[in-house]
Amino acid sequence: MRVHSRSFFLVRDPTAVPIGRRRIKDLAEKWGLRLDQTADTALDVIASELVTNAVRHGTGAMLTLTLSANLHRRRLLVEVYDGSLVLPVPHRAGTGDEAGRGMALVDSLSLRHGAERTTCGKCVWAEVALPTQQIVRRRLVFHPRRAARAVARRLGVPRRLPMAARAASRARHGRHTSLRSASVSTSEDRAGQQHPPHMSNAEGAVPCPTN
């Protein structure tokens, strides 16, 4: 599963809105995400509205913005944390109102959105749909060993001996090997080392994010 995630702090000030948008765009470019016009517009508006609401109605000197991308599910999750325990209340703006339409925009542009209390305040979040990503090519770039093995298979190059067999061969020839190179993890060990799948913070308790 291909997942990217990054959190950063923002001063709870109106300047946090353009700064947050720019940081999100920088992260999307760094991760190599492909954004079509729909996703780009939705990301801009949603990030602006969530940060604006946190600046106006949140508490504390700082905000935390977290961006998470799940390429297999084609989802981009935007989360904004502040120190207030008061959850946003849905509001239907009248024709003459100058404000109150922010969450309606978030509702129309996101796949889903919500808010929940955290251990240090609250989190307001929304998910944006991503267009199809070129995952296979990106895997080869980020995993050169995997790419080398794929090329070797195409060329018919015999694979190297398993780690345990190489260690035994060195031992037979009188060569010492380190514990790290000779150790072989069992299937139970490997299962214990696997990271859990990415889940939206809408599911379960939400801790405070760390940078």
Side-chain angles (χ1 to χ4, degrees):
M1 180 178 292
R2 198 82 182 116
V3 176
H4 300 284
S5 186
R6 180 70 182 273
S7 298
F8 53 89
F9 298 114
L10 297 169
V11 177
R12 195 171 68 86
D13 181 86
T15 57
V17 178
I19 293 174
R21 282 200 308 263
R22 186 170 65 248
R23 292 288 299 273
I24 285 177
K25 289 298 182 64
D26 290 345
L27 283 176
E29 182 178 354
K30 178 181 178 181
W31 295 340
L33 300 182
R34 189 176 74 84
L35 300 177
D36 56 13
Q37 185 175 0
T38 300
D40 187 67
T41 301
L43 189 58
D44 265 350
V45 174
I46 287 173
S48 297
E49 293 299 334
L50 296 188
V51 175
T52 297
N53 285 345
V55 169
R56 289 179 178 175
H57 307 295
T59 60
M62 305 294 292
L63 306 174
T64 302
L65 196 155
T66 298
L67 185 69
S68 304
N70 188 316
L71 303 188
H72 282 281
R73 295 184 61 235
R74 291 164 54 188
R75 299 289 188 269
L76 197 59
L77 176 65
V78 182
E79 301 165 291
V80 178
Y81 297 79
D82 69 77
S84 173
L85 291 172
V86 180
L87 299 179
V89 177
H91 173 70
R92 185 180 296 275
T95 56
D97 294 344
E98 295 182 359
R101 296 181 175 83
M103 293 310 294
L105 286 172
V106 172
D107 182 66
S108 64
L109 294 173
S110 66
L111 293 170
R112 58 178 186 154
H113 65 92
E116 60 233 28
R117 292 185 177 91
T118 69
T119 55
C120 59
K122 72 171 180 294
C123 168
V124 184
W125 57 269
E127 278 190 346
V128 177
L130 288 174
T132 303
Q133 306 291 307
Q134 297 179 350
I135 299 175
V136 175
R137 182 176 298 176
R138 188 170 294 110
R139 280 179 173 174
L140 294 180
V141 173
F142 283 95
H143 298 280
R145 291 184 181 178
R146 188 179 301 170
R149 289 196 297 267
V151 173
R153 285 195 297 269
R154 287 181 176 273
L155 296 177
V157 179
R159 297 181 61 182
R160 298 178 63 188
L161 291 173
M163 189 178 295
R166 295 200 306 270
S169 175
R170 284 193 291 266
R172 285 197 302 270
H173 289 83
R175 287 182 289 177
H176 295 286
T177 180
S178 67
L179 291 175
R180 180 177 180 180
S181 63
S183 64
V184 180
S185 61
T186 64
S187 59
E188 290 80 4
D189 293 334
R190 288 193 295 270
Q193 293 171 1
Q194 291 177 351
H195 296 288
H198 176 69
M199 296 175 62
S200 167
N201 279 347
E203 302 172 20
V206 181
C208 294
T210 56
N211 204 26

